[in-house]
Amino acid sequence: MGEKGNTAEVEISNSEITTSATDGVVIAEGSKLHGFTGNKIHTNSAFPVSLSIADADMITDGNQYVNNGKEFIKVSASAPVSSDILLKKLNESFLINGTVVAQNKFTIAAGSRVYMDNIAKVIIDGENGAGSFNAVGTAANPINIAAIYNGNGIWNNIEFLSSNSENNKIEYCTISGGGAPDGSHADGMITVMNGADGSTNIVIRNSTIINSAAIGIYIQNHGSEYNSDIISGNTFSNNVKGNVHIE
């Protein structure tokens, strides 16, 4: 649906999409879905659906995904994303592929399951944009952000770069399997870094931070504001280089 900079507008409803040698449905960035429900997307060699993370909010429940090679909705970004990003709670999990640079609001809805592909990374860019990150679950509907495979160091990290937004909240989340080195100073599965004149405001509470190949949470203290119970208010386990490091 759309290709190489060309976009399309279409409704896909009450259809069977099957036996593709690649993905079932590929949606080019900027294309529009005017309806996407009642479909059975099955037995495709790769993903049932692949699209830009900027357009992920177009995907709704009401479809069946069965026996696809990779049972995720794959989302990615070819350039920094200046529009809002919303990952809804769906029956099918999202998979973030590659590096996503969010320069506006990035929201993950309560109850969502988000997986991270090999060496995937999310940058919340408040230095070159107005990036913020809000992943607020509840005790009844927590958010899960995990590696595509079991283990640690599968994906890189969620990095806050001079993101001074009160929207930055991670609550009732389980985050696991990251911390792969990416050649930068950032050494946490969740990392807070600031430019020379930048600052970051973040709250991380009631969350479980586990199986990082690096530090669980790394915070550059200069210019950063964070909740005083960032250590006592979260659960940590199996983080190779420690749970929280603030310097």
Side-chain angles (χ1 to χ4, degrees):
M1 179 180 160
E3 185 180 10
K4 296 180 180 178
N6 297 313
T7 60
E9 298 190 26
V10 69
E11 177 182 351
I12 306 174
S13 298
N14 303 312
S15 298
E16 184 176 8
I17 300 168
T18 186
T19 59
S20 168
T22 56
D23 300 331
V25 178
V26 178
I27 303 171
E29 184 173 358
S31 294
K32 301 296 182 185
L33 278 174
H34 294 292
F36 189 69
T37 188
N39 301 296
K40 184 176 183 180
I41 304 175
H42 69 99
T43 325
N44 300 290
S45 295
F47 299 95
V49 180
S50 177
L51 75 165
S52 167
I53 197 168
D55 300 324
D57 63 332
M58 294 192 300
I59 303 300
T60 58
D61 268 336
N63 300 287
Q64 296 182 60
Y65 305 99
V66 183
N67 293 329
N68 296 288
K70 298 179 179 179
E71 206 64 82
F72 305 94
I73 297 171
K74 187 183 84 168
V75 291
S76 58
S78 59
V81 181
S82 58
S83 59
D84 290 350
I85 297 169
L86 172 60
L87 300 184
K88 300 175 181 177
K89 177 185 176 182
L90 301 176
N91 291 330
E92 191 81 340
S93 301
F94 286 102
L95 176 73
I96 294 178
N97 173 263
T99 296
V100 172
V101 180
Q103 295 184 334
N104 215 315
K105 294 179 180 179
F106 188 150
T107 303
I108 300 178
S112 297
R113 300 183 310 276
V114 178
Y115 288 85
M116 306 293 283
D117 209 347
N118 287 315
I119 68 170
K121 181 181 179 78
V122 172
I123 299 174
I124 307 304
D125 187 0
E127 190 167 62
N128 303 294
S132 67
F133 184 77
N134 189 272
V136 176
T138 67
N141 286 289
I143 293 169
N144 187 45
I145 301 173
I148 187 173
Y149 307 117
N150 292 331
N152 64 29
I154 307 299
W155 55 283
N156 290 143
N157 59 9
I158 301 170
E159 180 176 341
F160 294 83
L161 179 60
S162 299
S163 175
N164 189 17
S165 171
E166 293 185 359
N167 193 53
N168 289 331
K169 294 181 180 179
I170 297 172
E171 299 182 8
Y172 291 100
C173 294
T174 295
I175 302 179
S176 63
D182 63 358
S184 72
H185 181 62
D187 203 21
M189 187 162 57
I190 301 170
T191 290
V192 175
M193 300 287 290
N194 299 306
D197 299 316
S199 61
T200 296
N201 182 357
I202 187 166
V203 171
I204 305 173
R205 185 178 286 128
N206 296 318
S207 294
T208 300
I209 313 298
I210 57 175
N211 295 334
S212 170
I215 302 162
I217 302 171
Y218 173 89
I219 297 177
Q220 182 185 42
N221 192 41
H222 177 73
S224 296
E225 295 185 14
Y226 49 90
N227 49 304
S228 61
D229 61 346
I230 198 166
I231 297 175
S232 63
N234 296 291
T235 300
F236 300 91
S237 178
N238 296 326
N239 298 305
V240 172
K241 296 185 178 181
N243 295 328
V244 179
H245 186 71
I246 301 169
E247 67 174 11

